Amino acid sequence: LQKILILLHVTTCVVVGKTLMILFPNAMKRYILQQGEKSRMNKNPKFSYENWGPTFFSFEYLLFVLKVKWKRLEDEAYEGHPAPNTPVVTLDGEVRHLLDFMRDNRPLILNFGSCT
C-alpha cells in the first residue's frame, strides 16, 4: 500500500512538473536553479543547468525518485527492533549490506564523516 501511495504521489508530481516546464519554461528554470543552489549542483562550473536541468521531471527522474523512496521504506529503524540491513558501498565500490560487517558478538560502530 505504501509503494502504491508513493507511486501515485511521485507520478503526480512529475506530471505536474513536466506540464509546468512546457507551459512556463523560464519560471521552471528559475525554480530548478533554486533547487540546484540548495543541493549545490550549480557550484560546479563544469556542470551547467543544460546538463542536469532538463532531466527534472523526465521518465528517468520518475524511476530514480521511486527507487530511492521505495528503498527508504526498508531503511526505517524502530527502537527495540532489529536494525535495517541497509546497503552500503565499500571504498572499492563493492555493494555490501551493513550487517555483513558484524563479527561474532562484538558491537558494530558506525562513524560518519566527510573527506573534503
Side-chain angles (χ1 to χ4, degrees):
L1 181 62
Q2 286 179 319
K3 284 188 175 184
I4 292 172
L5 292 174
I6 290 171
L7 172 66
L8 291 173
H9 179 258
V10 173
T11 302
T12 302
C13 290
V14 169
V15 168
V16 169
K18 189 63 158 181
T19 304
L20 291 173
M21 280 183 83
I22 293 168
L23 296 176
F24 309 103
N26 292 331
M28 287 304 288
K29 181 177 180 178
R30 285 192 305 273
Y31 170 75
I32 292 171
L33 285 171
Q34 286 176 344
Q35 298 305 309
E37 286 178 22
K38 289 180 185 177
S39 66
R40 306 184 81 172
M41 287 178 76
N42 53 352
K43 298 293 183 197
N44 184 344
K46 296 181 182 179
F47 199 52
S48 67
Y49 170 81
E50 287 72 24
N51 294 100
W52 56 269
T55 65
F56 273 62
F57 310 116
S58 65
F59 184 69
E60 291 80 10
Y61 175 87
L62 170 72
L63 294 179
F64 176 77
V65 173
L66 284 175
K67 180 180 174 184
V68 169
K69 289 189 174 278
W70 286 347
K71 195 66 178 157
R72 285 187 181 162
L73 288 175
E74 302 169 10
D75 291 344
E76 292 187 39
Y78 300 98
E79 186 176 342
H81 291 84
N85 197 12
T86 305
V88 293
V89 179
T90 67
L91 293 174
D92 299 327
E94 179 185 358
V95 177
R96 306 266 307 270
H97 285 84
L98 190 61
L99 299 180
D100 294 344
F101 297 96
M102 298 268 313
R103 297 288 178 254
D104 300 321
N105 215 8
R106 298 182 311 173
L108 177 65
I109 298 173
L110 304 176
N111 185 10
F112 297 92
S114 175
C115 298
T116 57

